[in-house]
Amino acid sequence: SGGLFAHNVAVRNRYGLKLFRDGCIGNTFVNNIFIYNKDGQVGLDNAGGRTPWPSNNLVDYSVAYPSRRWALPVGIAWMLGDNILLRDPNVVDYKGNDLRLIATSPVRKKAVSLYMNGAYSWPDPGLFPATNYTEPAW
């Protein structure tokens, strides 16, 4: 609860991001890329109605592709920001796990500016080059 999750890439999983039950509260997920995940890019779990839904979370400034069934259940729009990009981010080679954005990626410079202790703010969603650290980030 209360975490910031930024600059991650989730590829070829069941879900790119799955918010799990009522213990997932007040988190912010930004500048992430969720691509080619089997059952959806973003999902929620409430144990089939036996627990409350995750609450007060925000997913924004992130990429979800493909967009078909990208957010499940469909009713989770209340936790999604207005800056979700539903397009192919064009990583170098997602099957070979080279998840860097190509130079002409349509999602370049679409990240929200963040302060992450010891690191420059990175303008692109997804992987965050370690060479930009000014000091250890933790």
Side-chain angles (χ1 to χ4, degrees), residues 23-121:
C24 185
I25 301 168
N27 297 294
T28 301
F29 304 87
V30 293
N31 301 343
N32 299 295
I33 296 178
F34 309 114
I35 54 175
Y36 302 108
N37 295 292
K38 181 181 175 190
D39 289 344
Q41 307 314 319
V42 177
L44 296 179
D45 183 306
N46 74 341
R50 293 187 305 273
T51 68
W53 289 106
S55 60
N56 299 319
N57 296 290
L58 173 66
V59 179
D60 205 2
Y61 291 94
S62 293
V63 179
Y65 185 82
S67 60
R68 183 183 70 80
R69 294 180 39 200
W70 79 273
L72 296 172
V74 174
I76 69 172
W78 52 268
M79 63 168 240
L80 304 173
D82 295 329
N83 303 290
I84 302 291
L85 300 168
L86 301 176
R87 57 176 39 169
D88 188 342
N90 295 319
V91 297
V92 173
D93 178 13
Y94 81 92
K95 288 182 181 175
N97 297 320
D98 188 345
L99 304 174
R100 296 170 297 147
L101 298 175
I102 66 169
T104 58
S105 170
V107 303
R108 286 243 182 230
K109 305 212 183 315
K110 301 290 185 185
V112 66
S113 182
L114 296 173
Y115 176 75
M116 297 175 73
N117 188 24
Y120 292 111
S121 183

